[in-house]
Amino acid sequence: MNSQELWQHYQDWLYFHKDLGLYLDISRMRFNESLVESLQPKFAKAFKDMEALEQGAIANPDENRMVGHYWLRNPEIAPPELKNQIMENIDSIEAFVKKVHEGAIHPPQAPKFTDILSIGIGGSALGPQFVAEALSADFPPLAIHFIDNTDPAGFDRILNRLQNRLNSTMVIVISKSGGTPETRNAMLEVKRVYEQQGLDFLAHAVAISKIDELERIEGCLAEFPMFDWVGGRTSELSSVGLLSASLLGIDIRALLAGAKEMDIATRVPEIKRNPAALLALAWYYAGNGKGEKDMVVLPYKDALLLFSRYLQQLVMESLGKEKDLDGNTVHQGLAVYGNKGSTDQHAYVQQLREGVANFFATFIEVLEDRAGPSMEVGTETTSGDFLSGFLQGTRHALFENSRDSITVTITRVDARSVGAMIALYERAVGFYASLINVNAYHQPGVEAGKKAAETLLGLQRKILSVLKTTDQSLELAALAEKADASDQIEDVYKILRHLAANRRGVDLHGDLAKPGELTISFNRSASV
């Protein structure tokens, strides 16, 4: 295309939402009109599927569940029996937060809570982390810290930093099932540290879980529900994200309003007038409907650094599926990674521009540089002008070398625009899933990993049982046989290596570079 044709193409494929101040530009994705025409029947089905989902259809057939995250920001469209639950929950969050900020709800040994320790994993962490990073004030009412793994050193780092303020730290425990291992482990470790300091853990703890699971930490400071029809990766606008956001002083009503406004825009059953459909179209073109290219997310704003991590789970857990809805093996997915601009100029843009063309870029642009005026750092230029120039320059440089890109532009980073972006990508994932005929709302691969981990932990218990009842050293193969794991000898070795490194009474004898020749003994006096 020449410059005039490119300009016209830009105007033809530019979406603008006036009330949200949001633009979406897919003009640098080099699809043609014949692709759009060929996808019309698929999009017609996607629009109908989404309408049925919002009306309460079982959109997650594998788990026989409704999918209702759209109801969270507009209870009026929820099934009648759920409407009041949603509205009452938001009111309860706001009432609780008001009392916390005023000091009416406070820890036993301090006049006010000063910090939040949020314990959760996956969607129970990524959404709250993204929103906290994007929207927290420089000096929020409470400082927030996250434990989002089962890493003992990670526990220690966070708890050591909080040791002088533990008596004024609220602990939010988030687990839909009430038994997520990583969250359970972290809760038990944190609880022990509270008890070691003579603090009543329950007087500091808030539970967010399924209603019928809340008794797992009965007697805590407060309880908020995680509805069964909300998946973890779409839970940011439920109690999971709203409670911590509100405690940080973020306007959760504006967050919900932005999402609601975007939901309205993405109900329009016309590709060009629906920003989520435009994203789904661009994704389909980029990877031939098979995820053949990765999505590189580049937000040119420090506040949006964690957006790519948030999208990784939302997109990859939703779309990365072995089977389609008809049971065919399809190995679908869309890989997501990202950094931030202009940091990426000095990281991987070199490869994006000149290396393997196995990606398409998504630029996130923010028009307002800062709340106030900026000084000039050069002739007629500010630091923000440089940031904008780097974004536009990188976009040009990629397109000149046949590298596709999407640009999402918002006026400013505020609660309303962040809510709108969350809703935009939630809907785009739903549409794209319909186009490729997969269930976007389950995660069998995650469950398979959990089951495998449980099996290995069971094997560890068998190994320890054998060692504790044996007085002599054993060769690795003999130990594996006694543990009924001769066909898992590599697993046995790795379990032993981990136990030995952590002073669990296991001693490895021999050349560590030759694991098959090791002998193993158990030192009862060294076991912890």
Side-chain angles (χ1 to χ4, degrees), residues 33-51:
E33 292 288 345
S34 63
L35 173 68
V36 181
E37 189 61 31
S38 70
L39 289 176
Q40 289 291 354
K42 286 180 178 288
F43 270 105
K45 181 178 183 300
F47 293 139
K48 287 182 179 178
D49 289 347
M50 192 60 69
E51 183 180 4

Side-chain angles (χ1 to χ4, degrees), residues 301 417 426 441:
K301 205 67 175 177
S417 65
E426 285 178 346
Y441 308 109

Side-chain angles (χ1 to χ4, degrees), residues 133 296-306 308 337-352 363-364 383 386-392 394:
E133 180 73 15
V296 182
V297 181
L298 301 172
Y300 276 65
K301 205 67 175 177
D302 286 359
L304 299 179
L305 170 64
L306 298 183
S308 60
Y337 59 93
N339 194 10
K340 68 174 181 180
S342 64
T343 302
D344 60 272
Q345 306 289 144
H346 307 278
Y348 48 71
V349 163
Q350 169 63 34
Q351 176 167 317
L352 300 186
F363 295 102
I364 310 294
S383 297
F386 272 94
L387 188 65
S388 178
F390 285 136
L391 186 158
Q392 302 303 339
T394 303

Side-chain angles (χ1 to χ4, degrees), residues 5 13 104 148 207 228 231 358 363 366 388 424 450 462 512 525:
E5 290 171 334
W13 289 98
D148 60 355
D228 183 63
N358 61 347
F363 295 102
V366 181
S388 178
L424 171 62
K450 289 179 181 178
K462 287 174 107 176
L512 295 179
S525 63

Side-chain angles (χ1 to χ4, degrees), residues 219-285:
C220 61
L221 183 65
E223 303 169 342
F224 297 96
M226 182 184 280
F227 300 116
D228 183 63
W229 36 266
V230 176
R233 55 188 173 274
T234 55
S235 65
E236 173 53 27
L237 300 181
S238 72
S239 303
V240 169
L242 296 181
L243 176 60
S244 60
S246 189
L247 286 165
L248 292 170
I250 295 166
D251 185 348
I252 61 172
R253 295 283 178 175
L255 200 64
L256 291 164
K260 178 181 178 180
E261 191 75 18
M262 180 55 72
D263 287 345
I264 293 169
T266 56
R267 287 191 191 105
V268 176
E270 187 179 328
I271 296 174
K272 275 198 171 184
R273 294 176 53 228
N274 185 319
L278 289 171
L279 281 179
L281 167 65
W283 297 353
Y284 193 96
Y285 158 75

Side-chain angles (χ1 to χ4, degrees), residues 2 18 38-39 45 66 83 109 141 166 181 208 233 268 310 335 379 383 396 414 430 433 436 441 517:
N2 61 36
K18 182 178 179 181
S38 70
L39 289 176
K45 181 178 183 300
M66 298 184 293
K83 174 182 171 181
Q109 298 183 22
L166 212 60
I208 299 176
R233 55 188 173 274
V268 176
Y310 169 75
T379 305
S383 297
H396 282 299
D414 59 17
I436 62 173
Y441 308 109
E517 298 176 11

Side-chain angles (χ1 to χ4, degrees), residues 435-448:
L435 295 182
I436 62 173
N437 195 38
V438 299
N439 180 354
Y441 308 109
H442 71 158
Q443 49 284 330
V446 177
E447 299 307 318

